[in-house]
Amino acid sequence: VQRGPLVYCLEGNDNPTTPLDRISLTRNTLFETEHHTELLGGITLLRAAAMAESTTASGLYYTAATSQQPTTITAIPYCVWANREPTEMRVWIRERVS
């Protein structure tokens, strides 16, 4: 996800869906911006509707059935990740074909 010259990422601090690799976006996902002057010296967050894969399986490879649940994601500029508490981070997000 890119806005102007900035690359954005997802962090576990802001997104309830974990692991973050279960999140997918469409190519034409619309993002809303929110500027927060109190957060990390002042940053602009991106929020969007997304889908999160839900499954009872675990591990890298599995054949269990999955379902998609709607969720809302929050992305922060990549240059400020890991400045709060240790958590999962994801730059590359799966593309969902609509």
Side-chain angles (χ1 to χ4, degrees), residues 22 53-57 62-68:
R22 294 181 183 222
E53 182 182 89
S54 176
T55 182
T56 57
Y62 54 87
T63 57
T66 62
S67 63
Q68 298 286 321

Side-chain angles (χ1 to χ4, degrees), residues 72-88:
T72 301
I73 61 162
T74 301
I76 64 166
Y78 176 77
C79 60
V80 298
W81 78 276
N83 279 292
R84 293 177 280 177
E85 59 187 50
T87 187
E88 179 182 11

Side-chain angles (χ1 to χ4, degrees), residues 2-76:
Q2 184 177 350
R3 180 176 181 253
L6 294 179
V7 172
Y8 278 70
C9 67
L10 304 181
E11 268 195 313
N13 295 325
D14 306 307
N15 296 284
T17 299
T18 56
L20 294 175
D21 66 349
R22 294 181 183 222
I23 294 173
S24 62
L25 300 171
T26 62
R27 185 171 292 251
N28 51 359
T29 295
L30 298 176
F31 289 88
E32 295 180 10
T33 59
E34 282 182 25
H35 189 73
H36 290 262
T37 55
E38 76 290 350
L39 184 61
L40 301 170
I43 62 171
T44 298
L45 303 176
L46 301 180
R47 295 196 196 275
M51 295 299 276
E53 182 182 89
S54 176
T55 182
T56 57
S58 63
L60 182 59
Y61 302 103
Y62 54 87
T63 57
T66 62
S67 63
Q68 298 286 321
Q69 304 297 324
T71 190
T72 301
I73 61 162
T74 301
I76 64 166

